Amino acid sequence: AVEFFKKALTIDVGVFGENHPKVAINYNNLGFVWDALGEHQKAIGFYNKALAIDVGVFGENHPKVAVCYYNLGTVRQAQGEYQKAIEFYNKALAINRKIFGENHPAVAKNYNNIGIAWQAQGEHQKALGFFNKALTIFMYFFGPDHPDTKLVTKNLQSVNE
């Protein structure tokens, strides 16, 4: 997958230039693959490149910027850097709340991940609060049988065990 994303990146940089949203998508894709392969530092580098482009093109308060922060949070969480992950998740949350309001699946996803990071640090009460917020939103939008709702329900159960 890395080779194909690198080829796509090379093509898009040639066609659109370095500071184009399509190039940022390629950087995000490369970050995702490197993160999945356990190459977290490489992932961070690519996610930061995507973030720089997206902030430059769209400004700070845009869903694509929120995705970049979310991705940086997931890689920090994978590294066990939970406080840093929470910082990035909170940046994504602030953007998503500003754009979509409090009751939106993107906001719920941020709440869920913040809860996971708090739970990993043994902060179960904080985790419960975030999981409950996420569950309320997912139930409203998707009902009890949606995968996102089931995931948050499982996360809540794991805190209560």
Side-chain angles (χ1 to χ4, degrees), residues 49-66:
K49 287 180 179 184
L51 176 63
I53 292 169
D54 285 342
V55 168
V57 171
F58 301 114
E60 184 68 29
N61 292 308
H62 191 276
K64 288 189 178 282
V65 174

mmCIF file of all heavy atoms in Angstrom, residues 49-66:
data_model
loop_
_atom_site.group_PDB
_atom_site.id
_atom_site.type_symbol
_atom_site.label_atom_id
_atom_site.label_comp_id
_atom_site.label_asym_id
_atom_site.label_seq_id
_atom_site.Cartn_x
_atom_site.Cartn_y
_atom_site.Cartn_z
ATOM 1 N N LYS A 49 2.418 16.827 7.886
ATOM 2 C CA LYS A 49 2.431 17.436 6.549
ATOM 3 C C LYS A 49 1.004 17.691 6.071
ATOM 4 O O LYS A 49 0.706 18.759 5.516
ATOM 5 C CB LYS A 49 3.175 16.548 5.553
ATOM 6 C CG LYS A 49 4.682 16.543 5.740
ATOM 7 C CD LYS A 49 5.356 15.653 4.714
ATOM 8 C CE LYS A 49 6.868 15.682 4.899
ATOM 9 N NZ LYS A 49 7.563 14.895 3.865
ATOM 10 N N ALA A 50 0.123 16.716 6.282
ATOM 11 C CA ALA A 50 -1.284 16.890 5.894
ATOM 12 C C ALA A 50 -1.907 18.042 6.671
ATOM 13 O O ALA A 50 -2.629 18.872 6.100
ATOM 14 C CB ALA A 50 -2.058 15.601 6.140
ATOM 15 N N LEU A 51 -1.624 18.094 7.963
ATOM 16 C CA LEU A 51 -2.167 19.160 8.806
ATOM 17 C C LEU A 51 -1.719 20.532 8.309
ATOM 18 O O LEU A 51 -2.535 21.456 8.188
ATOM 19 C CB LEU A 51 -1.733 18.959 10.256
ATOM 20 C CG LEU A 51 -2.134 20.043 11.251
ATOM 21 C CD1 LEU A 51 -3.650 20.147 11.363
ATOM 22 C CD2 LEU A 51 -1.495 19.767 12.615
ATOM 23 N N ALA A 52 -0.447 20.679 8.002
ATOM 24 C CA ALA A 52 0.073 21.967 7.546
ATOM 25 C C ALA A 52 -0.623 22.416 6.261
ATOM 26 O O ALA A 52 -0.992 23.592 6.118
ATOM 27 C CB ALA A 52 1.590 21.889 7.341
ATOM 28 N N ILE A 53 -0.824 21.484 5.342
ATOM 29 C CA ILE A 53 -1.493 21.836 4.090
ATOM 30 C C ILE A 53 -2.946 22.219 4.365
ATOM 31 O O ILE A 53 -3.432 23.258 3.886
ATOM 32 C CB ILE A 53 -1.424 20.675 3.077
ATOM 33 C CG1 ILE A 53 0.021 20.467 2.618
ATOM 34 C CG2 ILE A 53 -2.337 20.948 1.874
ATOM 35 C CD1 ILE A 53 0.238 19.192 1.824
ATOM 36 N N ASP A 54 -3.642 21.387 5.132
ATOM 37 C CA ASP A 54 -5.067 21.643 5.373
ATOM 38 C C ASP A 54 -5.304 22.950 6.123
ATOM 39 O O ASP A 54 -6.232 23.686 5.804
ATOM 40 C CB ASP A 54 -5.713 20.463 6.095
ATOM 41 C CG ASP A 54 -5.942 19.276 5.174
ATOM 42 O OD1 ASP A 54 -5.932 19.456 3.933
ATOM 43 O OD2 ASP A 54 -6.136 18.148 5.690
ATOM 44 N N VAL A 55 -4.469 23.249 7.104
ATOM 45 C CA VAL A 55 -4.607 24.531 7.818
ATOM 46 C C VAL A 55 -4.347 25.686 6.852
ATOM 47 O O VAL A 55 -5.072 26.683 6.858
ATOM 48 C CB VAL A 55 -3.673 24.601 9.049
ATOM 49 C CG1 VAL A 55 -3.606 26.017 9.604
ATOM 50 C CG2 VAL A 55 -4.136 23.643 10.137
ATOM 51 N N GLY A 56 -3.334 25.531 6.012
ATOM 52 C CA GLY A 56 -3.017 26.580 5.048
ATOM 53 C C GLY A 56 -4.114 26.807 4.027
ATOM 54 O O GLY A 56 -4.386 27.944 3.638
ATOM 55 N N VAL A 57 -4.767 25.746 3.603
ATOM 56 C CA VAL A 57 -5.807 25.851 2.574
ATOM 57 C C VAL A 57 -7.161 26.225 3.167
ATOM 58 O O VAL A 57 -7.857 27.094 2.647
ATOM 59 C CB VAL A 57 -5.923 24.521 1.783
ATOM 60 C CG1 VAL A 57 -7.129 24.536 0.857
ATOM 61 C CG2 VAL A 57 -4.650 24.252 0.993
ATOM 62 N N PHE A 58 -7.540 25.573 4.268
ATOM 63 C CA PHE A 58 -8.902 25.701 4.796
ATOM 64 C C PHE A 58 -9.017 26.574 6.043
ATOM 65 O O PHE A 58 -10.116 26.955 6.424
ATOM 66 C CB PHE A 58 -9.468 24.320 5.140
ATOM 67 C CG PHE A 58 -9.531 23.377 3.978
ATOM 68 C CD1 PHE A 58 -8.739 22.243 3.958
ATOM 69 C CD2 PHE A 58 -10.378 23.624 2.907
ATOM 70 C CE1 PHE A 58 -8.797 21.356 2.896
ATOM 71 C CE2 PHE A 58 -10.442 22.747 1.832
ATOM 72 C CZ PHE A 58 -9.641 21.603 1.826
ATOM 73 N N GLY A 59 -7.894 26.846 6.698
ATOM 74 C CA GLY A 59 -7.947 27.514 7.990
ATOM 75 C C GLY A 59 -8.086 26.499 9.113
ATOM 76 O O GLY A 59 -8.291 25.310 8.873
ATOM 77 N N GLU A 60 -7.982 26.972 10.334
ATOM 78 C CA GLU A 60 -7.960 26.078 11.497
ATOM 79 C C GLU A 60 -9.287 25.367 11.731
ATOM 80 O O GLU A 60 -9.307 24.224 12.187
ATOM 81 C CB GLU A 60 -7.570 26.885 12.743
ATOM 82 C CG GLU A 60 -7.416 26.068 13.996
ATOM 83 C CD GLU A 60 -6.243 25.110 14.001
ATOM 84 O OE1 GLU A 60 -5.221 25.378 13.338
ATOM 85 O OE2 GLU A 60 -6.351 24.072 14.686
ATOM 86 N N ASN A 61 -10.403 26.006 11.433
ATOM 87 C CA ASN A 61 -11.713 25.451 11.773
ATOM 88 C C ASN A 61 -12.381 24.796 10.576
ATOM 89 O O ASN A 61 -13.344 25.322 10.008
ATOM 90 C CB ASN A 61 -12.605 26.553 12.364
ATOM 91 C CG ASN A 61 -12.089 26.998 13.705
ATOM 92 O OD1 ASN A 61 -11.850 26.189 14.594
ATOM 93 N ND2 ASN A 61 -11.888 28.295 13.854
ATOM 94 N N HIS A 62 -11.873 23.631 10.222
ATOM 95 C CA HIS A 62 -12.401 22.890 9.080
ATOM 96 C C HIS A 62 -12.393 21.399 9.420
ATOM 97 O O HIS A 62 -11.486 20.932 10.112
ATOM 98 C CB HIS A 62 -11.538 23.159 7.843
ATOM 99 C CG HIS A 62 -12.139 22.654 6.579
ATOM 100 N ND1 HIS A 62 -12.004 21.347 6.167
ATOM 101 C CD2 HIS A 62 -12.898 23.264 5.644
ATOM 102 C CE1 HIS A 62 -12.641 21.189 5.027
ATOM 103 N NE2 HIS A 62 -13.193 22.342 4.688
ATOM 104 N N PRO A 63 -13.377 20.649 8.929
ATOM 105 C CA PRO A 63 -13.412 19.213 9.244
ATOM 106 C C PRO A 63 -12.146 18.451 8.860
ATOM 107 O O PRO A 63 -11.750 17.518 9.562
ATOM 108 C CB PRO A 63 -14.617 18.707 8.440
ATOM 109 C CG PRO A 63 -15.477 19.892 8.239
ATOM 110 C CD PRO A 63 -14.551 21.074 8.162
ATOM 111 N N LYS A 64 -11.506 18.833 7.769
ATOM 112 C CA LYS A 64 -10.276 18.136 7.383
ATOM 113 C C LYS A 64 -9.153 18.375 8.393
ATOM 114 O O LYS A 64 -8.329 17.492 8.640
ATOM 115 C CB LYS A 64 -9.837 18.547 5.980
ATOM 116 C CG LYS A 64 -10.732 17.979 4.890
ATOM 117 C CD LYS A 64 -10.154 18.231 3.521
ATOM 118 C CE LYS A 64 -11.011 17.633 2.443
ATOM 119 N NZ LYS A 64 -10.848 16.195 2.297
ATOM 120 N N VAL A 65 -9.129 19.551 8.979
ATOM 121 C CA VAL A 65 -8.141 19.849 10.028
ATOM 122 C C VAL A 65 -8.455 19.017 11.271
ATOM 123 O O VAL A 65 -7.552 18.463 11.903
ATOM 124 C CB VAL A 65 -8.098 21.360 10.331
ATOM 125 C CG1 VAL A 65 -7.193 21.664 11.512
ATOM 126 C CG2 VAL A 65 -7.648 22.127 9.088
ATOM 127 N N ALA A 66 -9.736 18.890 11.584
ATOM 128 C CA ALA A 66 -10.138 18.056 12.724
ATOM 129 C C ALA A 66 -9.697 16.610 12.510
ATOM 130 O O ALA A 66 -9.221 15.956 13.447
ATOM 131 C CB ALA A 66 -11.645 18.140 12.939
#
